[in-house]
Amino acid sequence: MEQGSIPMEQGSIPSSKVLSVKPLRTLRPLFVSSAQAPPLFTSSPSGPFPPGFTPFYPFCSNAQSPQPDQMDGVTGHAGSSRKRPPGKLRKVAKKSVGSRNAGVSFTVNHGNAFVRNFIVRCNPFSKEDGNREMVEYVLMTFDAVRRRLSQVEEAKEAPNGSIKRPDLKAGNVLMSAGVRTNMRKRTGVPPGVEVGDIFFFRFEMLLVGLHGQSMGGIDTLITRRGKVEESLAVSIVSSGYYDDDTEDKDVLIYSGQGGNPISKDKQASDQKLEKGNLALERSLHQANEVRVIRGMKDPSNTSVKIYVYDGLYTIKESWLEKGKSGCSVFKYKLVRLPGQPSAFADWISIQKWKAGLSSPVGLLSQDLSAGAEKITVSLVNDVDARGPPSYFTYSTVLRYSKSFNLTNSSFGCNCHKACQPGDLNCSCIRSNGGDFPYATNGVLVNQKPVVHECSPTCPCFPNCKNRVSQTGLKLKMEVYKTTDKGWALRSWDPIRAGSFICEFAGEVVDSPMGMQGTGQEDDYIFDTSRILDKSNKWNYEPTLLNEEIPDESAENDNIPSPLVISAKNVGNVARFMNHSCNPNVFWQLVQYEHNRESFLHVVFFAKKHIPPLTELTYDYGMSQFETRSKRKCLCGSEKCRGYFG
DNA sequence: GCTCAGTCAGTCTT
DNA sequence: CAAGACTGACTGAG
């Protein structure tokens, strides 16, 4: 498959082989009407808008969204090919029941957006039976609260003592606030959860109704057969705590529960045919569908465990055998039902690719970056016979033609180790409003106008946790060809929400205006002044944690000037990221110094947990002006605006 | 730098 | 209500 690295220098291959690739980006240069206009302005379609902007929102086109169903699966990867379960969306009923009951359940009289949002979404109906939107909402809310609790704990500012387990605390907060879904237990798929979805905490699976135990590996459902009540197994988690056999992608040999010594001074014991084990035995005879969740190590951080929903299995056999401790252990053989999208199987394939035991179909180049990145970037085309993308120079950094003067430069901290969360003597932390912007594992806590990172000029250690975006690519990326959207970007590694993905590298240009009319249309423009739809809030909700709503107006006054970047001739993997109206990635401005001058960077972070081989997309936003170049959006999401650009 | 085993506080369901 | 289910972040040895 490997055909050597793709040419990075012009002239090394015949020009006939440099294909004119279909534009990935359909951004068009735009005029900034007012120098005073805040560049980071975001707004709902109803405004308000700042002076100098004329917003254009083609939201009305939802009903005639040009997204054909047959687009599902065309790219042949997990992200776009997953099938929505045959849902009982019951939209009409949901609306009427929800609006009638919501006010009864929640008589909170807060006028804030979260409470309104919360009442609409977390109505009794959507708590019992979910959908994709509800599942994503619950997961985003959980992680935002968890990140905030983690941030507060690390700064040792926790108001009610220490929070050793922010995941459990966040789970507790959401449970008591009723932010959960699919509470009605069921066999089969909880609506809104998709095969291949990944989870970083047991609580996440509990909150979306995938697995209803905060610790237990076997979840059961009590059923009635005539007068007899009995429990069936509905989902299991294979976590590595017992000796399960997880070698086969379609078969799982699962151990029953119990018998493991809880502490060092306790003895192992024989497992008993009771509780979960009994339920599994009944499910063997009932042959009901059992959800299987496979826990495994995060390949890019082995101290982190990830749970992968691998779809429905049925139990084919059970037996009793002697475990390593010499005690009896129940074993259950589960076989995956055919016709489901691949999930765990992808993880096995990726392992083999990484180990060099096999290659993905259509591999054109081992490293698109030609050594520029610390980790290789694969180039794959398994949809047609064409070659690599058109020529560009791979650069990992943003190139400024002139310095970018920022009025609020602070020129670094004086910390001499790693900067410590909660240390208000650190000027970099003070620049971030006192909150350390990143929590454990380097996840961004909140979106904000600008994140201030420590710089190479700061005396703190290079491993200071406030340099997340400067450490280079950490994820194994793949640039791959789609059938309808040109080239696209995805990761072989799973990505946790809030994780750093990459910077938008390229050349800073004065204004996209220069390109107009020259016939040199630039489809690789990134412009911070484009309007984003922020209806899906990513940040944590202060009212859930009884916190005051912070006043960010002061911070907004210091928003830097618009930043326009072209990645047409120079760029990194970010130039291959496509637009989506329901994206899994967002961008964030990050500022740090170099040679005593401050520079802005556009940095991408994961909005949700992203399974391997899922296309990475972000919202390109809307030009403030009506332009001729608005393009049909091919994102395929339910809330697709129809057009973008 | 990396992996592994050990430690321990922690929360839901039955 | 107590028992039982096992996690996740961290620490220190190898």
Side-chain angles (χ1 to χ4, degrees):
Chain A
M1 284 298 176
E2 171 63 9
Q3 303 175 349
S5 59
I6 72 156
M8 282 296 141
E9 289 178 27
Q10 213 139 23
S12 60
I13 58 162
S15 60
S16 63
K17 290 211 169 178
V18 180
L19 293 154
S20 179
V21 178
K22 186 176 162 187
L24 307 171
R25 302 171 58 90
T26 54
L27 305 189
R28 188 185 173 80
L30 56 91
F31 297 93
V32 177
S33 63
S34 157
Q36 280 76 43
L40 288 181
F41 171 67
T42 61
S43 169
S44 72
S46 52
F49 305 104
F53 282 130
T54 315
F56 174 77
Y57 274 86
F59 285 154
C60 47
S61 58
N62 266 5
Q64 48 212 4
S65 168
Q67 299 313 310
D69 271 342
Q70 60 266 31
M71 286 190 35
D72 246 12
V74 283
T75 53
H77 65 80
S80 65
S81 65
R82 287 198 216 135
K83 295 281 181 287
R84 186 163 302 281
K88 306 162 198 166
L89 291 176
R90 297 146 100 176
K91 275 183 179 159
V92 176
K94 180 178 160 190
K95 199 170 182 180
S96 57
V97 172
S99 56
R100 192 176 66 237
N101 290 350
V104 179
S105 304
F106 300 95
T107 50
V108 197
N109 196 21
H110 298 104
N112 76 60
F114 174 76
V115 174
R116 281 196 308 268
N117 213 359
F118 182 80
I119 290 170
V120 171
R121 301 207 201 206
C122 297
N123 61 59
F125 219 93
S126 68
K127 279 192 208 174
E128 289 299 300
D129 297 284
N131 52 59
R132 189 61 175 171
E133 189 186 357
M134 188 65 190
V135 165
E136 291 193 342
Y137 171 74
V138 169
L139 292 176
M140 280 202 351
T141 307
F142 169 84
D143 206 57
V145 169
R146 187 197 63 78
R147 292 190 309 267
R148 172 57 177 169
L149 290 168
S150 177
Q151 179 187 51
V152 163
E153 168 63 17
E154 281 163 43
K156 308 217 178 336
E157 286 171 343
N160 304 313
S162 73
I163 308 163
K164 293 224 167 75
R165 292 286 301 269
D167 58 319
L168 298 183
K169 183 68 186 167
N172 183 254
V173 167
L174 265 67
M175 294 283 280
S176 32
V179 183
R180 54 189 298 191
T181 187
N182 290 319
M183 285 176 73
R184 186 172 65 77
K185 277 205 180 183
R186 72 201 75 208
T187 57
V189 188
V193 180
E194 296 177 1
V195 175
D197 279 353
I198 59 172
F199 304 87
F200 284 75
F201 299 93
R202 295 288 304 252
F203 244 109
E204 294 178 323
M205 297 188 284
L206 193 152
L207 290 168
V208 300
L210 179 62
H211 187 80
Q213 300 286 325
S214 63
M215 296 175 88
I218 306 167
D219 195 21
T220 59
L221 169 67
I222 294 172
T223 57
R224 256 175 245 276
R225 299 181 66 208
K227 289 178 184 173
V228 192
E229 267 192 2
E230 59 179 36
S231 61
L232 291 177
V234 291
S235 74
I236 58 166
V237 178
S238 170
S239 65
Y241 182 68
Y242 296 96
D243 276 325
D244 297 345
D245 184 345
T246 59
E247 294 299 306
D248 194 292
K249 65 184 173 64
D250 293 321
V251 179
L252 171 66
I253 310 295
Y254 187 75
S255 306
Q257 65 188 185
N260 264 8
I262 291 163
S263 58
K264 221 170 113 181
D265 50 328
K266 293 261 173 71
Q267 291 287 310
S269 58
D270 288 339
Q271 290 189 345
K272 300 188 188 94
L273 191 58
E274 58 180 22
K275 297 177 183 171
N277 300 343
L278 189 55
L280 286 167
E281 200 63 38
R282 295 233 172 83
S283 284
L284 165 66
H285 296 115
Q286 288 286 310
N288 65 287
E289 298 165 331
V290 178
R291 300 187 289 272
V292 167
I293 297 125
R294 296 180 183 249
M296 36 216 170
K297 286 177 176 174
D298 181 344
S300 54
N301 182 357
T302 50
S303 67
V304 168
K305 195 188 277 178
I306 301 182
Y307 300 94
V308 181
Y309 173 46
D310 196 37
L312 301 174
Y313 284 60
T314 50
I315 307 173
K316 297 294 187 191
E317 284 177 54
S318 75
W319 63 92
L320 198 60
E321 66 179 44
K322 292 287 178 203
K324 280 178 184 165
S325 62
C327 297
S328 302
V329 177
F330 286 97
K331 294 283 179 175
Y332 301 88
K333 180 182 178 184
L334 292 104
V335 177
R336 195 166 194 257
L337 295 176
Q340 303 180 86
S342 60
F344 175 60
D346 288 343
W347 289 63
I348 296 178
S349 302
I350 291 166
Q351 263 182 13
K352 288 181 183 162
W353 297 344
K354 283 188 165 184
L357 300 173
S358 67
S359 294
V361 176
L363 183 68
L364 293 181
S365 165
Q366 299 274 15
D367 190 11
L368 173 81
S369 86
E373 300 283 6
K374 281 183 271 184
I375 182 165
T376 59
V377 178
S378 299
L379 181 68
V380 169
N381 179 358
D382 64 352
V383 301
D384 59 40
R386 300 186 177 193
S390 52
Y391 170 81
F392 72 101
T393 303
Y394 198 100
S395 168
T396 60
V397 294
L398 186 57
R399 295 182 181 177
Y400 279 87
S401 50
K402 61 179 188 199
S403 73
F404 204 91
N405 280 330
L406 294 169
T407 52
N408 55 344
S409 300
S410 60
F411 297 118
C413 59
N414 286 313
C415 306
H416 287 277
K417 289 180 183 172
C419 298
Q420 284 300 316
D423 178 7
L424 293 181
N425 294 321
C426 171
S427 62
C428 293
I429 294 178
R430 284 204 311 274
S431 303
N432 286 303
D435 282 328
F436 204 83
Y438 302 107
T440 314
N441 292 312
V443 294
L444 184 72
V445 176
N446 264 351
Q447 274 181 300
K448 49 202 327 196
V450 179
V451 165
H452 300 266
E453 288 195 359
C454 291
S455 71
T457 350
C458 293
C460 57
F461 289 174
N463 66 354
C464 169
K465 287 174 180 170
N466 194 26
R467 302 177 183 218
V468 167
S469 76
Q470 301 166 50
T471 52
L473 209 56
K474 285 230 169 66
L475 301 162
K476 169 63 194 172
M477 296 296 219
E478 177 190 289
V479 172
Y480 70 107
K481 189 75 171 285
T482 65
T483 50
D484 55 350
K485 295 190 290 186
W487 295 92
L489 183 67
R490 63 188 179 186
S491 164
W492 289 8
D493 293 319
I495 309 174
R496 188 196 282 236
S499 295
F500 163 71
I501 294 176
C502 64
E503 178 173 352
F504 192 97
E507 298 172 296
V508 175
V509 293
D510 286 340
S511 142
M513 287 169 63
M515 302 291 180
Q516 277 202 338
T518 60
Q520 297 274 309
E521 297 287 314
D522 191 340
D523 293 321
Y524 296 89
I525 287 287
F526 185 98
D527 181 349
T528 57
S529 70
R530 299 169 72 87
I531 297 169
L532 296 175
D533 170 20
K534 289 225 173 166
S535 59
N536 260 334
K537 200 173 186 293
W538 193 73
N539 290 358
Y540 81 99
E541 173 48 49
T543 53
L544 260 183
L545 294 173
N546 296 320
E547 288 184 22
E548 301 270 325
I549 296 167
D551 177 18
E552 287 176 353
S553 54
E555 213 173 347
N556 279 308
D557 289 342
N558 289 328
I559 290 172
S561 317
L563 181 60
V564 183
I565 305 167
S566 168
K568 185 177 184 179
N569 302 314
V570 175
N572 64 351
V573 289
R575 76 198 283 283
F576 294 103
M577 236 189 301
N578 288 316
H579 163 86
S580 172
C581 300
N582 181 19
N584 49 22
V585 174
F586 63 83
W587 58 269
Q588 163 72 55
L589 282 182
V590 174
Q591 177 184 338
Y592 50 89
E593 293 131 38
H594 196 71
N595 297 331
R596 297 194 67 77
E597 281 182 298
S598 268
F599 292 98
L600 274 179
H601 301 262
V602 172
V603 178
F604 291 98
F605 292 91
K607 185 175 173 185
K608 324 166 182 176
H609 302 326
I610 307 173
L613 303 187
T614 304
E615 181 177 0
L616 304 180
T617 54
Y618 69 100
D619 189 343
Y620 281 12
M622 286 288 173
S623 164
Q624 305 96 338
F625 303 101
E626 191 161 357
T627 69
R628 285 173 293 116
S629 70
K630 296 211 181 297
R631 299 293 178 89
K632 269 189 186 178
C633 178
L634 303 175
C635 75
S637 78
E638 279 192 357
K639 292 205 157 181
C640 181
R641 301 193 292 262
Y643 293 84
F644 70 97

